[in-house]
Structure formats: C-alpha cells, structure tokens
Amino acid sequence: MRTTLHFHKRTATVGAALAAVLALALALTACNGDDTASGSTQTGPTAAADKAGGTGGADQGAGTSTGGSTQGADTSTGDTSGGKVDLCRYGVLDATAADNTTDKTDGVVTVTFKNVADSDCRISGFPGVDLKTSLGDTFSVDRNGEQAVPQILKEGETAAFNITFPVNNSGGSGVRLTDMVVTPPNEVEPFTLTWPAGTLAVTDGEDGAKKIEVSPVGKVSDSPAG
C-alpha cells in the first residue's frame, strides 16, 4: 500500500505533522495485518519436508508392513559392519514357517529366513507380523522386548524368530488363523505364509492373561543349510 503525505502550507503546525505521522504508522500497520490474514499456507522447505515424512524419511514408512501392522518391522539395525554388507531384503530371502509347539500351555511358531543370494547380507531387529483370521480380520503381534543382535548371513545361512502364543485347550472354541504376513526387519515387502499351528484361545481380557508375542530375528546356523 502506498501512502503519500501532502503539505500545502509551510506553516503547518507541529501538532498537524505529528497527526500525519501517526496516520501513516496506522496505515502501514493495517497493510501488514492484511498480509497476515490472507490465509496463505507455508510453502517453504519445512512444509515440503513434512509432506515427505520429515526427518523420519524412509525408515518410518518401512515400519509398517502391507498387511496393516501397527507394530511393523524394526528399522533400527544396530549394525556394526559400517554398511559394507547389504541388508537382507525380500528378494534375497526365502521364508518358511513351522509349528514347534512342545507342550500344552505355550505354543511356538518359528519363521525362518534363508539367504538364497550368492553374497552376504545383514539382518537385525524385529519383523513385522500380522495374523489373519478365518473371519477376515487382521491383527498385529507385539514384540516381546528381547534385545536384537545384528547378524551377517552368508549364502545358505538362516536366521529365525518365534511367535509365542497360548495353546487353546478349550476342546472346541477358538480363533482359527489362516495366514500370517511377515515383513523382515528394515524391509517393506512382506511374505505371506500359511499359519502352521492350531487355533488361538479366546480370552476374557483379564490381567495376566498370556498374549501373542514375537521375538527378534536371530541367527540359527553357522554353515550353509543346503
């Protein structure tokens, strides 16, 4: 806004001049107020970074598997190789699942990752695990709080993790699982595996009730598994 002051008489009083200056200050303030109230949005680098995930970057996106897991795969590798060995990605791994339950109280399903590439890869952390029921529902499995240890897998070597769950001893009722969506640590591409064990017990939510948990991935072989 341009504001011009006109003095027609050299005999203008000091009081009139002060009034003109005050009017100019109020006019400039009003102009600034109009700019502030224009409803404009932030378009600088900070706004762009927020839309791109901020400082979290790809790691935050990798924390969620395509199965809808809220827990997600672990993105903190704890790696000590200095990045010289590539991560164990979906494309270099083969995944299998087996029921290793040995008693009537605690069930165990073991998921194994095998390095099928012709070079080493590194793996560390918790996988993302979503379980699907026969009714079409999907729920995520919580981590058990154990410490993850970085591992280097050579060609043919394997690493695994366990899903522990309460065995259903009801004799009939229970939650029947069909599939599990498993995302390796630091990865976003999941494997879909058939649930190999029995049904899950239906609990009433009482405190202390056993729940389903997943362990971090750990190396299970020191030589090629063949």
Side-chain angles (χ1 to χ4, degrees):
M1 176 184 292
R2 168 180 280 180
T3 303
T4 305
L5 298 179
H6 299 280
F7 293 90
H8 297 289
K9 295 183 179 181
R10 300 181 61 181
T11 59
T13 63
V14 174
L18 290 176
V21 171
L22 178 59
L24 173 62
L26 292 174
L28 292 176
T29 301
C31 289
N32 290 336
D34 290 342
D35 290 340
T36 303
S38 64
S40 62
T41 58
Q42 184 181 18
T43 58
T46 302
D50 289 342
K51 292 180 180 180
T55 57
D59 282 351
Q60 290 193 5
T64 304
S65 76
T66 58
S69 174
T70 56
Q71 191 72 31
D74 198 344
T75 58
S76 56
T77 63
D79 177 51
T80 58
S81 69
K84 296 180 181 179
V85 179
D86 291 336
L87 291 169
C88 293
R89 299 293 190 185
Y90 173 90
V92 303
L93 295 174
D94 184 30
T96 56
D99 182 8
N100 286 324
T101 302
T102 57
D103 60 48
K104 297 182 179 180
T105 302
D106 300 314
V108 178
V109 166
T110 302
V111 176
T112 301
F113 295 125
K114 181 179 179 180
N115 179 8
V116 296
D118 57 2
S119 60
D120 298 351
C121 68
R122 53 190 170 96
I123 190 168
S124 176
F126 286 84
V129 178
D130 292 335
L131 301 180
K132 295 184 177 183
T133 73
S134 59
L135 298 178
D137 299 322
T138 299
F139 63 94
S140 302
V141 180
D142 293 329
R143 301 170 184 173
N144 65 5
E146 294 179 7
Q147 182 66 40
V149 179
Q151 309 286 347
I152 299 295
L153 297 183
K154 297 180 180 180
E155 178 183 0
E157 290 186 335
T158 58
F161 67 89
N162 289 327
I163 303 171
T164 56
F165 60 95
V167 172
N168 181 17
N169 294 315
S170 64
S173 63
V175 178
R176 187 170 69 85
L177 299 180
T178 57
D179 301 308
M180 50 184 173
V181 180
V182 175
T183 308
N186 306 290
E187 180 58 287
V188 296
E189 190 74 22
F191 294 92
T192 299
L193 305 173
T194 300
W195 176 256
T199 60
L200 301 181
V202 178
T203 64
D204 55 9
E206 294 180 355
D207 293 338
K210 294 181 180 179
K211 61 180 182 179
I212 309 174
E213 292 183 324
V214 60
S215 72
V217 174
K219 191 173 181 180
V220 296
S221 66
D222 295 322
S223 59

